[in-house]
Amino acid sequence: MRDTITTVTLNAAIDKTYFVPALVKGTVMRATEVLSMAGGKGVNVARVLHQLGHPDVVATGFAAGHNGRYLVDRIRESGIGADFVVANGESRLCLNFIDGVDDSSTEVLEPGPEVEAEHLAALKNKIGGLAERSAVVVLSGSLPRGAPPSLYAELIELVRAAGALPFLDASGAPLALGLSAMPAFIKPNEEEILKLLAGNGDGDLDLREGALALARQGIRNVVVTLGGEGAAAFVDGVAYRVAIPKLKAVNTVGCGDAFVAGYAYGSSRGWSAEACLRHAAAAGCANALSAVAGDVKKDDFDMLLPRISIGEWLK
Ligand SMILES: Nc1ncnc2c1ncn2[C@@H]1O[C@H](COP(=O)(O)OP(=O)(O)OP(=O)(O)O)[C@@H](O)[C@H]1O
Ligand SMILES: [Mg+2]
């Protein structure tokens, strides 16, 4: 059996959160607390897989400069493998300022490094090698500058050829183009699937019909996540509706990443659709209870798992 789950983050980031008493433009503010985390969607997926107890998780992608080395160190410290391709420049910093007056969040996201042909070739080589020993390879998030929009399609082909299940969690053109390579799993949220259907000229389909159309193209696991309303899915042609408990969410950023991690956990073990969906939804919900994006506390997860119910997605 293949034990590894690989996650791919092509625009990894150091996520910095600054808590300031009051955010006032044009002034000097002193932070009362600073959090620094390895981030980017695939890194979040890797962290949650590790928290769920998956023993062999490897994060890959591009890491550049000092920031890239810091990212790799932080990932390894947390018990996850890090095997990144070194790119030029600096991996990005993503800054989030939390205003103590109203708890509002103000973000500044760097664009990240631009990659060149040699880095893309090295990436394909790296992912091909990791896929040979992986059950699942999760491709998440936006593409770096310099990458062709069809990159995910190329990586999906490569992952499948190496015998692993390619999972894709992207939006816009990288998602639309990635679908042509038939990923094993996609997880658009409502906004992402509606945009995709509109782009396909299927804008008049409702969510269920749209998901079914994608499933009919040959994508075995089509899941639409619906935030606080749970999720719905077509898996091997069967329609499922996932109901979740009402929660007082603390921070819903990264809920989708946690959901993907839960699903990959189940798929890598050959679990049924119901079991994968239940694990995924409990992980997504548990993430909503943490202040940090891509963070699942085991106690929250264990409390939530029996409260997820799976039924039929009715017309
Ligand atoms: N407010 C919430 N309360 C409870 N559970 C939630 C909430 N928001 C999200 N979840 C859980 O997380 C899952 C994924 O959420 P969502 O649809 O918001 O993903 P997303 O938009 O892809 O998120 P992101 O891209 O920020 O990671 C949901 O199916 C649900 O299980
Ligand atoms: Mg998402």
Side-chain angles (χ1 to χ4, degrees):
M1 192 188 127
R2 294 167 177 234
D3 292 326
T4 307
I5 298 179
T6 297
T7 73
V8 179
T9 314
L10 300 180
N11 215 347
I14 301 173
D15 287 334
K16 292 207 135 218
T17 308
Y18 294 89
F19 294 86
V20 292
L23 189 76
V24 188
K25 214 172 118 185
T27 67
V28 174
M29 289 160 287
R30 289 182 196 283
T32 49
E33 196 189 344
V34 182
L35 298 178
S36 185
M37 297 276 296
K41 298 185 79 62
V43 173
N44 294 345
V45 174
R47 186 163 47 238
V48 174
L49 274 163
H50 178 70
Q51 291 170 331
L52 292 177
H54 192 79
D56 183 3
V57 186
V58 179
T60 185
F62 293 117
H66 285 92
N67 290 345
R69 287 195 287 280
Y70 174 85
L71 269 168
V72 165
D73 286 348
R74 292 300 303 266
I75 293 169
R76 287 191 181 143
E77 267 166 36
S78 61
I80 299 162
D83 191 0
F84 282 75
V85 171
V86 176
N88 294 333
E90 286 289 337
S91 289
R92 59 193 182 139
L93 286 175
C94 292
L95 309 182
N96 185 5
F97 300 91
I98 308 290
D99 183 336
V101 175
D102 58 4
D103 284 336
S104 65
S105 143
T106 304
E107 289 187 90
V108 182
L109 312 180
E110 294 185 15
E114 184 158 357
V115 295
E116 290 161 24
E118 61 183 287
H119 307 123
L120 291 166
L123 177 82
K124 287 177 196 168
N125 211 6
K126 177 88 75 195
I127 293 177
L130 288 166
E132 301 238 315
R133 64 172 164 105
S134 296
V136 177
V137 176
V138 180
L139 307 163
S140 299
S142 59
L143 297 178
R145 292 180 297 158
S150 61
L151 182 60
Y152 278 142
E154 293 175 48
L155 296 178
I156 288 164
E157 304 270 6
L158 197 150
V159 166
R160 195 187 5 258
L165 295 173
F167 277 33
L168 178 63
D169 181 15
S171 55
L175 169 61
L177 294 172
L179 293 181
S180 64
M182 229 54 87
F185 168 96
I186 56 171
K187 186 230 81 48
N189 60 26
E190 189 167 0
E191 185 191 342
E192 288 161 349
I193 192 172
L194 291 176
K195 231 186 199 167
L196 179 70
L197 295 174
N200 287 350
D202 287 338
D204 51 345
L205 297 184
D206 71 12
L207 272 187
R208 191 180 183 285
E209 291 166 332
L212 181 58
L214 293 169
R216 286 199 171 128
Q217 283 174 27
I219 301 166
R220 292 187 61 184
N221 301 270
V222 177
V223 183
V224 182
T225 56
L226 304 165
E229 299 300 315
F234 278 95
V235 181
D236 291 331
V238 182
Y240 299 91
R241 183 73 174 86
V242 183
I244 61 172
K246 281 266 164 289
L247 299 173
K248 209 167 162 339
V250 178
N251 178 10
T252 60
V253 178
C255 281
D257 304 331
F259 189 100
V260 173
Y263 208 95
Y265 185 97
S267 276
S268 70
R269 288 162 172 76
W271 287 0
S272 68
E274 287 97 326
C276 290
L277 287 167
R278 183 172 289 115
H279 227 68
C285 289
N287 182 82
L289 296 179
S290 168
V292 176
D295 180 46
V296 165
K297 308 265 186 299
K298 191 67 176 46
D299 287 351
D300 290 336
F301 177 82
D302 289 343
M303 174 271 291
L304 287 159
L305 194 63
R307 298 178 61 195
I308 307 294
S309 62
I310 316 281
E312 188 184 348
W313 189 5
L314 300 168
K315 282 196 183 86

